[in-house]
Amino acid sequence: SWRIASHPAARAVVMKSSLLPDDVAALIPAAAANDPATVPLWTALRKCYPDDSAAQAALSRNSNLLMPWSNSPTVIQRNWAVLHANLGKEDALDVITKDPGVLACDPERLAIASAEEIKGVASFAAALASARRALALAAAADPNVCGSPSWAS
């Protein structure tokens, strides 16, 4: 059931328990998790992946997929249909696993891209995400990793 939060600073915040599974809601901002328009987005996203775990992994890489103010279930469905038709189910799944953001693209533009372009961009996005994670780990281990080079002082 819906209710208005009772804390004065949060009176305008509408909350509902169980809009999304807790592990999905934890991956996105509260504003999106509490928006009823997010449920159809999750349903559409979930249908693209073989199981909840794979869909949640994609969402952890790109939470914008469930932002109702910037994506829609129709866009997700149309992009999945384009990928499936142009690449086949196995390659389409590989692409959305490497680059889940492709499901938020303009479907008309995606439809005119070649299979090689789509696969190449997905591989690049996956490599970039991997490098970003490695840099974050290195910076966490040694704050000077991303600091000024020694020759600059």
Side-chain angles (χ1 to χ4, degrees), residues 47-151:
K47 288 179 181 177
C48 299
Y49 291 91
D51 55 41
D52 284 354
S53 178
Q56 289 169 14
L59 186 57
S60 72
R61 292 198 50 215
N62 190 334
S63 63
N64 287 330
L65 292 166
L66 290 196
M67 302 301 163
W69 46 86
S70 65
N71 202 8
S72 75
T74 303
V75 168
I76 292 172
Q77 294 161 350
R78 289 179 62 202
N79 280 319
W80 174 244
V82 166
L83 292 168
H84 192 266
N86 292 345
L87 305 174
K89 185 175 183 176
E90 187 176 312
D91 284 347
L93 181 58
D94 183 55
V95 164
I96 65 170
T97 299
K98 288 179 178 175
D99 182 14
V102 72
L103 292 170
C105 289
D106 176 353
E108 286 79 23
R109 297 201 56 140
L110 184 62
I112 61 174
S114 72
E116 293 76 26
E117 289 171 322
I118 294 168
K119 291 177 186 180
V121 169
S123 292
F124 178 75
L128 188 60
S130 180
R132 190 175 314 140
R133 282 188 301 275
L135 286 172
L137 288 172
D142 181 359
N144 294 321
V145 166
C146 295
S148 299
S150 58
W151 52 264

